[in-house]
Amino acid sequence: MKNYNPVYYLLIVLLIMGGFASMAQNDYGIKILGLVAVAFSLLFMIQFIQHLLEKSKLFDLMELGSLLILSIILAMRVYYVRFAFVEIVFGVAGLLLIIAYFFKLLYSWKTLNTQNQVIAILVALFHGSIILYVVSMVTVPFIPQLAEPMGGTALVLLLAFVFTSI
């Protein structure tokens, strides 16, 4: 996974650039966002296949598989491609991602709590913000009233993580 960090950084920079270009109503902004979503899809697919061949843990496969499905759906949304029951597929992939991150949170907490409680709390805040953000993203089509408070709570946890780590 660490072999792909430079690619992740490049894609995140392109994602931010595409977002700003899109907000400035430049035509190329949406094209950049779509290409970045497709690139993330390809990257997650490559990693999923590698982990599948290495017979990795189930939760690693769940995480990469869910990220693959979510990035494909987001790429399709950028290009206005839709299929029947896309919200259900999006919700199931998000639920699997939430489960994978929840078990990563539990594993990290068990491992780090005995060694350093401050680091364990920081990791719990970080994983908690990711989980709540995914809950926010997935509940938009089903329970939009829940999405906004979950996103706000995820932001508060992320800010708590940042300020506590400083």
Side-chain angles (χ1 to χ4, degrees):
M1 193 85 105
K2 292 181 181 174
N3 302 356
Y4 298 103
N5 280 349
V7 179
Y8 281 125
Y9 293 141
L10 174 67
L11 289 176
I12 289 171
V13 167
L14 287 172
L15 183 70
I16 292 168
M17 186 180 79
F20 279 117
S22 178
M23 286 188 290
Q25 298 182 355
N26 292 325
D27 292 337
Y28 63 88
I30 293 293
K31 292 176 186 172
I32 292 173
L33 290 175
L35 290 174
V36 167
V38 169
F40 269 117
S41 301
L42 291 173
L43 192 59
F44 290 139
M45 183 171 46
I46 290 168
Q47 289 181 341
F48 180 78
I49 292 170
Q50 284 177 343
H51 280 269
L52 197 61
L53 293 175
E54 294 171 359
K55 297 179 180 153
S56 295
K57 296 178 189 174
L58 175 65
F59 294 113
D60 290 338
L61 292 173
M62 277 176 51
E63 177 188 9
L64 288 170
S66 298
L67 288 171
L68 171 63
I69 292 169
L70 291 173
S71 61
I72 288 171
I73 291 173
L74 291 175
M76 291 171 56
R77 285 187 179 178
V78 168
Y79 293 114
Y80 303 108
V81 177
R82 191 180 191 302
F83 61 90
F85 306 112
V86 69
E87 290 86 10
I88 294 172
V89 174
F90 191 76
V92 169
L95 183 64
L96 290 174
L97 188 61
I98 290 166
I99 291 169
Y101 277 125
F102 182 73
F103 279 103
K104 280 188 171 196
L105 169 69
L106 291 178
Y107 177 76
S108 298
W109 180 263
K110 283 183 192 177
T111 306
L112 295 172
N113 195 28
T114 57
Q115 298 170 358
N116 189 340
Q117 197 167 18
V118 174
I119 302 266
I121 291 170
L122 285 172
V123 170
L125 287 171
F126 181 70
H127 280 291
S129 69
I130 292 173
I131 290 168
L132 289 178
Y133 174 72
V134 175
V135 168
S136 171
M137 183 177 70
V138 168
T139 57
V140 168
F142 305 108
I143 313 167
Q145 301 85 2
L146 183 66
E148 191 173 330
M150 286 294 139
T153 308
L155 179 64
V156 168
L157 286 179
L158 184 63
L159 291 174
F161 165 74
V162 169
F163 288 125
T164 306
S165 62
I166 290 175

